[in-house]
Amino acid sequence: PSCEVLPAAEEMFAHVFDGVDTDAHTHEVLQEPTLEGMLAHLLCHMRDNHRGLCGKLVAEGFLKQNNPSGAIEACKKILNGNKDAGWNSAMAPAYWQALLDANKLGEVQGLLDKGVTASEQSVSIMACIRRGDLLVKKNEHKLAIKDGYLRAVLLYRGPDEARAEALYRAGEAFEKLGQNTYAERMRDELRSKYSRTSWGKKLLGG
């Protein structure tokens, strides 16, 4: 079943369906053999205010399968009902990642410019980080650090996982510029403050 790539699916789906058949819908959607089928079922039965969250989960499933095109198509189905979901929703960071992975740089640029003003800090901090990723793809490492990664660390109070990623990416960008002292400062902060995050563990070789 497609839920094998979505470990958080069961807990989340239990809260998103309309009506009294929540358990039945949850079981059915978790048994869908494809992510496309899972999303189709969700779009038919879930509450409108959960569409962004469901789009995020399915898009992340496609990304885990190294299928950014599938993630983009899944997100566009959510966008048909809410254009702002591309920059101001739980789904937005997964959509940006998919566009970056597919090298749709022009398409993602405008969304990131809006995303830094998103209502949720967990979304806006990711817009800063993905802006850094976009600039790295353009070989603009100085701007990636200044307008992306360090901005994310200094201006947002987002979750530890996001702040840890910003520090990790900043370290990589400083290293690309040959500024190893600054790269090590980023890594020192990551080790000292966010060692339990996935980025901290990655840095430590875990």
Side-chain angles (χ1 to χ4, degrees):
S2 55
C3 64
E4 291 176 2
V5 296
L6 304 173
E10 186 168 6
E11 180 181 352
M12 194 276 287
F13 290 153
H15 303 285
V16 303
F17 293 115
D18 280 318
V20 295
D21 296 325
T22 296
D23 290 342
H25 284 314
T26 300
H27 177 77
E28 287 177 18
V29 77
L30 289 172
Q31 295 307 308
E32 285 286 350
T34 66
L35 289 164
E36 291 91 344
M38 179 180 282
L39 183 60
H41 191 106
L42 287 167
L43 287 170
C44 287
H45 298 287
M46 66 184 168
R47 302 181 183 120
D48 286 345
N49 61 319
H50 286 102
R51 287 181 174 239
L53 187 58
C54 293
K56 160 188 160 68
L57 202 62
V58 174
E60 287 177 347
F62 278 113
L63 290 172
K64 287 178 183 177
Q65 295 177 340
N66 296 313
N67 184 359
S69 295
I72 291 168
E73 288 306 309
C75 291
K76 285 185 175 178
K77 288 185 170 79
I78 303 297
L79 291 171
N80 285 338
N82 178 10
K83 296 297 183 185
D84 289 346
W87 67 272
N88 191 21
S89 74
M91 180 191 79
Y95 186 38
W96 303 330
Q97 185 65 66
L99 292 170
L100 285 167
D101 289 352
N103 285 313
K104 296 181 180 290
L105 306 188
E107 194 170 340
V108 74
Q109 176 72 67
L111 295 172
L112 294 175
D113 289 344
K114 290 182 178 181
V116 295
T117 68
S119 55
E120 293 292 332
Q121 288 240 335
S122 60
V123 176
S124 54
I125 191 173
M126 292 309 301
C128 266
I129 295 170
R130 296 296 166 251
R131 176 189 277 170
D133 294 348
L134 173 64
L135 290 165
V136 165
K137 277 182 170 284
K138 294 179 176 181
N139 205 32
E140 297 179 11
H141 293 88
K142 285 184 179 180
L143 280 177
I145 294 166
K146 175 177 174 287
D147 293 340
Y149 307 132
L150 289 188
R151 183 179 291 267
V153 173
L154 296 173
L155 297 184
Y156 294 94
R157 297 181 60 193
D160 285 356
E161 190 70 20
R163 295 174 67 80
E165 181 179 358
L167 288 167
Y168 188 95
R169 301 291 191 198
E172 288 183 322
F174 275 123
E175 193 169 58
K176 285 283 187 182
L177 293 170
Q179 297 181 11
N180 294 331
T181 299
Y182 288 111
E184 196 55 33
R185 285 183 188 176
M186 300 298 104
R187 290 164 183 157
D188 284 345
E189 185 164 355
L190 178 51
R191 288 187 196 97
S192 65
K193 293 183 178 179
Y194 307 110
S195 61
R196 295 185 179 181
T197 66
S198 65
W199 295 99
K201 292 174 183 176
K202 183 176 181 178
L203 180 65
L204 297 170

